[in-house]
Amino acid sequence: MWPFWWKGASGFSAHSTAEEVTHGIDGTGLTAIVTGASSGIGEETTRVLALRGVHIVMAVRNTDSGNQVREKILKETPQAKIDVIKLDLSSMASVRSFASEFKSLDLPLNLLINNAGIMACPYMLSSDNIELQFATNHLGHFLLTNLLLDTMKKTANESNSEGRIVILSSEGHRYAYREGIRFDKINDEASYNTLQAYGQSKLCNILHATELARQFKEQGVNITANSLHPGSIMTNLLRYHSFINTLGNAVGKYVLKSIPQGAATTCYAALHPQAKGVSGEYLMDNNISNPNSQGKDTNLAKKLWEFSLSLTSEEES
């Protein structure tokens, strides 16, 4: 991460907040889905985009928490348009149910913000018997995106405006397993490492955006796809690592971003005019950055796409 005071080509820095990077931007008429919208940077992303006039659909695992956030935002911004729909990304059935419910609303879809995630949890399997970090952080978002692509393409075509897919990754992608993605050992408990499995899932996020961008360009579709590192932020992602959590709470104000700063790059990628036409990139601190060599591997991205399709094909049929 660049020093807080360093401003990149965008004119923004790690110190910039979500409100600052969207100042003066009118999002009226746009509709966005934000996953993991009831806490942390997902909540702040929802609040700021709603403040800018975007109609938000909060995709949340706990709808009670989601509705509490919705009410809080409405007190601040009474004209905000916010819906809450249940989504458990670790369950393909839940992803399919969410997509169906969203489509029944007959709304356009301009922005898809794949924000939700879990970090470094003990070895567990999802309800579909897939390692939980890979299932939640990548596969659920992969299926969700594919189920909503037709709606996004239709919206982009009819509105003659660019659709944007924003996928939250992490600098943690640099600490994935040596081979990057362990296609033949996704569920291997014996060699499971909590942080490397997290890194693997975050590498998948980058490669997902890379392959989406390639396909959109090939198809001539007016949709962009980018991944990003939000910054190091104290959120409930660290709930499985009490020591890191304690240390972070002690020194965080000196070295970590605040939640408004952490949500900035997401909001910049989703709404800022400077991001128009930018696709297949990895962003950090509101500027274009670089992932590691595996994050730039287009062949690995294609392999991951086919692997993910094979795991979700029954759910997409």
Side-chain angles (χ1 to χ4, degrees), residues 82-96:
I82 304 174
D83 295 298
V84 178
I85 303 179
K86 182 175 178 61
L87 171 64
D88 179 356
L89 284 158
S90 71
S91 163
M92 294 191 215
S94 177
V95 173
R96 184 169 55 178

Side-chain angles (χ1 to χ4, degrees), residues 15-123:
H15 193 263
S16 303
T17 66
E19 283 200 32
E20 288 169 350
V21 302
T22 59
H23 178 73
I25 298 174
D26 184 5
T28 304
L30 300 178
T31 301
I33 290 173
V34 181
T35 69
S38 61
S39 65
I41 57 179
E43 178 181 346
E44 178 67 358
T45 298
T46 297
R47 184 188 73 82
V48 172
L49 293 185
L51 181 66
R52 303 305 180 216
V54 180
H55 182 170
I56 306 292
V57 177
M58 299 175 63
V60 296
R61 188 167 50 185
N62 184 323
T63 53
D64 288 339
S65 296
N67 280 312
Q68 288 174 13
V69 170
R70 177 181 180 273
E71 291 305 313
K72 185 166 67 173
I73 293 173
L74 285 172
K75 286 182 180 178
E76 177 190 333
T77 310
Q79 71 275 20
K81 295 180 180 179
I82 304 174
D83 295 298
V84 178
I85 303 179
K86 182 175 178 61
L87 171 64
D88 179 356
L89 284 158
S90 71
S91 163
M92 294 191 215
S94 177
V95 173
R96 184 169 55 178
S97 176
F98 172 88
S100 178
E101 186 170 349
F102 174 78
K103 290 176 183 178
S104 73
L105 298 177
D106 200 29
L107 290 170
L109 182 57
N110 307 89
L111 311 171
L112 174 58
I113 300 176
N114 291 337
N115 164 82
I118 56 174
M119 180 180 178
C121 59
Y123 180 84

Side-chain angles (χ1 to χ4, degrees), residues 185-196:
K185 292 183 179 179
I186 285 294
N187 284 355
D188 188 54
E189 184 175 3
S191 60
Y192 178 81
N193 177 283
T194 60
L195 290 170
Q196 287 179 304

Side-chain angles (χ1 to χ4, degrees), residues 18 40 84 92 101 141 160 162 167 177 200 207 257 271:
V84 178
M92 294 191 215
E101 186 170 349
H141 280 130
N160 196 31
E162 178 182 271
I167 303 175
Y177 297 107
Q200 172 181 252
L207 296 173
K257 285 187 177 184
L271 216 55

